[in-house]
Structure formats: C-alpha cells, structure tokens
Amino acid sequence: MSIVGRGRGAFMLVMLMLVVAACADTGTEAEQSTPRPAGLGKFYDQTVQWGDCGELGESAEFLPPVVQCARVTVPIDYAQPDGPTARIALSRLEATGQRIGSLVINPGGPGVSGLFTAVTGLDTPVAERFDRIGFDPRGVGASTPLISCWTAEQRDAERAEPQEDNSPEGIAESEADIGRYVDSCTQRSGTDFLAHVGTREVVQDLDVIRAVLGDDALTYLGYSYGTRIGAAYAEKFPTRVRALVLDGAVDPQQDPLQESLRQAAGFQSAFDAYAADCVQRPDCPLGTDPTQAVHQFRELLDPLWDTPAPTEDQRGLTYGDATTGVGQALYSDELWPTLTAALLQLRDGRGDTLLALADLYVGRRDDGSYSNREDAFNAIRCVDDPRITDRAVAGRQDTEFRAIAPFLDDGRGTGAAPLELCAFWPVPNTSEPHRISVAGLPKTVVVSTTGDPATPYQAGVDLADQLDAALITHQGDQHTVVFGEDVGSACVDEAVIAYLIDLTEPAPGLTC
C-alpha cells in the first residue's frame, strides 16, 4: 500500500544600467502600492551572511566551492510576525560580468531542494549578468524547521508492503495506513507548522528573499511546481516583478481531479512515444508492434503484484516501486535507453535498475537515508489544494485514470478507491483553484513542451493566457527545457536569455 500514491498514484499528483534603473523605479512604485504588512520590517531589513555551503548539510554537499550559502529568517505565520520563525536556506553563484541583479530559481516539486539551481545557466550570458540564487522553500531540504513524517526505516517498510487492491478490505487497510502516516506527520512536524507550509507562505518568503538580496523587483525562473510559486507571486506582488520565466506550467485553475486526469493523459502519451521509439530497436522489451506495447508492458509488471523481483540490496522490487521507476524514466526521452535496459533486466528476472530509478524519484540516498522530498510534497500539496472527500468521486477518478492511462491499469479496478491522503490531513487547505487575473504585471514568459508528461502542454497555454504572457512552445518529449544540459533547446534558451537580460519579448507564437 502506498501513502503518497506510489505506483499508479504517483502519477496522479504527482524549473545595462538602463535595466537597473528601470528595476529601481518599478521597485519603488511597488513598495508604495503594496506596503509591507505591519511588523515585517525586521525580516525585510535583515542582512544576509554568505559563507561556506557545508554548514547546510546534505542538501548542499554537491555544490562546487564557488557557490556560497546563507539562511534568512521569516515568520512561520505572517499574521503573527512576532511568533515562531523559520530559516530559509539560500545558495548563490555570483555574476561574472556586469551585474543586473539576482535571478532566483526554483526547480519544482513541491518538496525538492533548490540549492543546486545556483549553477543554472553556466556558460551562458545569464551567468555573466545575474547572481544565480537557489533556495529551499520552508520545510524543505536545508531550511528549518523541516517537514518530517517518517523515518528511513518506516519508509523502506512502507515501500516493501504488498499492494492493496480496491476491495472493501483493501480500501480499509489503505486508509488505515494513511491514518498512521498522518499521525506521524502531526507528531513530528506539528500542526502549527504544517498549517503554514503552502505556496501562500512561500511567495511571501520569496518577497523577503528579493528584498534582502537588494533587488527592487524580482527576476525569477520557475520550473514545474516552481511555476505555481511564480504565478502566485505575480498575483500577490505584480508591481514587484521585473521578469518571470515559467517552464512546465501548473495551471492554477485546475482542481486536483482535473490535474490528475490531465497528468494521466500526459504520461500515457509519454509511454506511447517511448514505445513507438522502442519497437524500432532490436532489443525492445515491448516487442515489435506498438499496438501491443501496453500488453507487453503489463506482462512484465503484473507478476510483481504478488512476487517482488530480486535485487542486489535484498529489498527487492515491488510493484509500486516498479511503476514509480517507470514514471521517473518517462520524465525525459534522455532516460528512454535506461528504461529499456531496466525492462530487459526485469524480463530476465531482476529489478535493480527500476529500483534505482524509484529511489531517485523518492529521494533515497545510497546510505539508505532519505531526503524529506516526499513528506514535504505531501504536506505542501495538502494545504495548496482542496481535498476529495466524496467516495463516489474518488471511485470515478480511479476508473477514469485507468481508462486514460491503460499502461498503468493493473486490471484490478472495482469502481471504488480509497480516499487520498489529503482527505485525512490535519490542517485545512489555504489555497483554492482559480483563474489568475493580474493588473500591473510586466510581460512574462511561459515555456511549455508539447510532450511534457507531468505538466501537459495545455496547462502552459492556459497559464500564458491568464498572465497575458508570451508563450514559447517547445516540441519535445520531456518535462521542462530551459537551460537543460543534455535535453535543452538553443532556440528556447536564446529567447529566454534575451528576455531575462534585456526584457526583449519572444516573437509571437515562437515554436522551437
């Protein structure tokens, strides 16, 4: 059984002096039109003490020595600025040339550490003109306090459990497991903190970060869930925006049901594209007929429901971990060869490669410890979105998901399904789906990829429409593209660089 919806559910939730002068004018206007709430001056006026990143622990261990790190203090509850505080971890790689300001970057998730994004855009003009700033949102990575629900031992044990079916008994056991997980989150993290870890608070933290970096207006690059942060910032602080690039968009209008079904279609499309490529190769584990690829795939995975495949580290590959590993590989066509190798290995009776892909997805390290990625993901999305508490809706969602994404249909649907984790969450949601309408926002840029499985193309089209943003269409099979090292696009990057540096809008209808 899976708490976070491992397996099929993981997919259901489951980025110039004239310019400086213009920024200063915009920022001053912003401070007048959107005054700081009372009592927050001490946070906006704090001084950042940059130093060695080693003090931030494992989240920063892979950063090169040239990157500096720091923490800034923010209130846990912005309505109570004199109450408990949180510390937000930052990373910085300084501009190498004539500096415009800071480029703040978030890689998405939610729940993914963003410290590594300080090295984004190496060997591009962006590295010359901007300090690149990464950050761990509140509760994530090296920020404190940390969202924490389960120990590494509990996580391993949960992943090893047999998959529950959707019989009445299976649903009851699934929901009992969810209840135990929620209780652990409540005990380890506390409801006072869990109530304030959503995007509503993150955008306010982002404005504090902007101010302490010395920027009168924000220049921001957000990927995936990071687009939700960027769009919410634009909505709350439109006159404090210099430039926003949002790549792999989350549509703020979508409710969780709509989003999960769109994502199902996105991953099925990604699987179909992978299968079409695979069957042309002599070693394809899905055969030679693309119309039979789903059947061949199910033949490989279905036996894992009852019997995990052996692996070197004795954990074994469960059905849930297998589907999680496949999902990880479908995020980019760069990983298609790895997926082929993993499925060939599974055909031969072993699950090491798929288990390694699943470990990558859930943040399990080589030493058996875990990042808090999954716990943070759960906590953030449960306060960001309304809950599905109607059992009829949950059952219909499960049925429709299976129909839309047959490669993930285990054939055990009953028309019923357990209520999802957020239905049992101990604090209310703080955001609702809505159409963004923003006055006074400068021109922004949305990048959307035609074959993006996780944030399907139409979501980017819809977000660009809401923000009146320039839309760059990237034709490809991957999740996000801007400044991608191996799966990037020179066409996309050139347009984004011109926008970030000179505020030059991309050509209308630009397709790369």
Side-chain angles (χ1 to χ4, degrees):
M1 182 276 152
S2 169
I3 294 303
V4 298
R6 239 180 345 99
R8 182 181 58 78
F11 300 81
M12 295 176 63
L13 301 177
V14 227
M15 15 169 119
L16 302 134
M17 294 305 295
L18 288 176
V19 173
V20 173
C23 289
D25 290 342
T26 301
T28 301
E29 181 180 314
E31 295 298 336
Q32 293 173 351
S33 61
T34 312
R36 300 172 186 172
L40 296 181
K42 61 185 176 183
F43 301 107
Y44 277 83
D45 296 334
Q46 65 189 295
T47 300
V48 182
Q49 301 294 330
W50 296 103
D52 184 87
C53 291
E55 296 182 1
L56 296 186
E58 293 173 335
S59 294
E61 63 181 344
F62 297 112
L63 292 174
V66 291
V67 176
Q68 301 170 303
C69 290
R71 283 191 174 99
V72 298
T73 302
V74 296
I76 287 178
D77 182 354
Y78 275 84
Q80 299 183 30
D82 294 326
T85 59
R87 299 275 284 164
I88 307 300
L90 306 179
S91 59
R92 178 180 72 170
L93 187 54
E94 293 184 281
T96 60
Q98 188 177 6
R99 179 181 180 276
I100 294 173
S102 301
L103 171 62
V104 183
I105 307 164
N106 181 272
V112 176
S113 169
L115 297 182
F116 71 92
T117 62
V119 300
T120 299
L122 289 175
D123 302 320
T124 73
V126 167
E128 299 174 22
R129 308 305 300 276
F130 292 96
D131 295 344
R132 268 88 27 85
I133 306 294
F135 72 103
D136 285 353
R138 55 172 56 207
V140 173
S143 293
T144 58
L146 199 64
I147 298 168
S148 177
C149 296
W150 265 353
T151 65
E153 293 75 17
Q154 288 174 308
R155 181 71 66 191
D156 277 348
E158 182 267 338
R159 292 174 64 186
E161 288 183 12
Q163 200 85 357
E164 298 288 352
D165 61 24
N166 283 350
S167 66
E169 296 78 15
I171 289 172
E173 182 56 33
S174 294
E175 292 183 355
D177 284 352
I178 290 172
R180 288 187 282 270
Y181 176 80
V182 170
D183 288 345
S184 184
C185 292
T186 303
Q187 293 166 12
R188 295 171 66 90
S189 299
T191 54
D192 289 344
F193 185 53
L194 291 176
H196 296 95
V197 298
T199 303
R200 180 187 66 177
E201 284 80 13
V202 172
V203 299
Q204 293 178 277
D205 296 344
L206 184 56
D207 197 52
V208 171
I209 292 169
R210 170 202 59 78
V212 301
L213 292 173
D215 291 344
D216 292 313
L218 177 71
T219 302
Y220 176 84
L221 168 59
Y223 297 95
S224 194
Y225 163 76
T227 68
R228 182 166 183 166
I229 296 173
Y233 184 93
E235 188 174 31
K236 187 171 182 63
F237 303 110
T239 58
R240 296 183 189 177
V241 171
R242 174 185 174 272
L244 293 179
V245 177
L246 307 178
D247 180 10
V250 175
D251 180 2
Q253 297 178 104
Q254 290 183 139
D255 63 31
L257 177 59
Q258 294 171 318
E259 186 174 16
S260 75
L261 297 180
R262 273 194 181 182
Q263 205 170 64
F267 273 100
Q268 182 63 48
S269 178
F271 177 84
D272 292 342
Y274 161 71
D277 178 79
C278 180
V279 298
Q280 300 177 44
R281 304 175 187 276
D283 62 345
C284 179
L286 302 180
T288 60
D289 183 355
T291 66
Q292 296 300 308
V294 168
H295 173 74
Q296 295 296 326
F297 177 76
R298 296 307 321 173
E299 289 284 307
L300 291 171
L301 260 67
D302 285 346
L304 299 175
W305 186 280
D306 298 311
T307 308
T311 56
E312 288 185 4
D313 72 354
Q314 305 303 311
R315 283 185 291 153
L317 176 72
T318 62
Y319 177 86
D321 276 341
T323 54
T324 299
V326 170
Q328 174 65 41
L330 289 176
Y331 268 82
S332 170
D333 55 11
E334 183 188 19
L335 288 173
W336 287 359
T338 303
L339 178 55
T340 294
L343 293 177
L344 285 170
Q345 186 184 60
L346 182 60
R347 188 182 66 184
D348 293 338
R350 296 198 61 83
D352 297 278
T353 303
L354 277 178
L355 183 60
L357 286 166
D359 285 345
L360 178 64
Y361 184 92
V362 300
R364 190 183 193 271
R365 306 182 182 96
D366 291 341
D367 64 1
S369 64
Y370 284 80
S371 74
N372 80 319
R373 179 186 305 173
E374 282 204 83
D375 290 341
F377 175 88
N378 291 327
I380 294 166
R381 71 184 179 89
C382 285
V383 294
D384 267 1
D385 294 316
R387 294 90 194 273
I388 297 174
T389 57
D390 186 326
R391 294 190 178 278
V393 173
R396 185 169 69 250
Q397 179 186 27
D398 183 82
T399 299
E400 292 181 11
F401 193 101
R402 293 171 185 274
I404 292 170
F407 88 106
L408 292 173
D409 182 9
D410 53 36
R412 299 169 187 258
T414 64
L419 293 177
E420 205 260 340
L421 167 68
C422 294
F424 303 92
W425 204 243
V427 295
N429 55 298
T430 57
S431 300
E432 292 284 347
H434 64 284
R435 179 179 175 84
I436 290 180
S437 180
V438 183
L441 181 67
K443 197 68 174 183
T444 59
V445 172
V446 172
V447 182
S448 199
T449 297
T450 54
D452 186 332
T455 52
Y457 175 73
Q458 187 61 40
V461 175
D462 294 343
L463 180 61
D465 176 64
Q466 293 169 66
L467 296 176
D468 191 26
L471 175 66
I472 300 175
T473 294
H474 172 244
Q475 295 179 326
D477 294 296
Q478 65 195 72
H479 179 49
T480 75
V481 62
V482 173
F483 300 136
E485 291 185 9
D486 299 315
V487 289
S489 164
C491 168
V492 171
D493 288 352
E494 288 170 5
V496 167
I497 290 167
Y499 169 72
L500 289 174
I501 292 176
D502 298 320
L503 300 179
T504 302
E505 296 179 20
L510 178 61
T511 299
C512 297

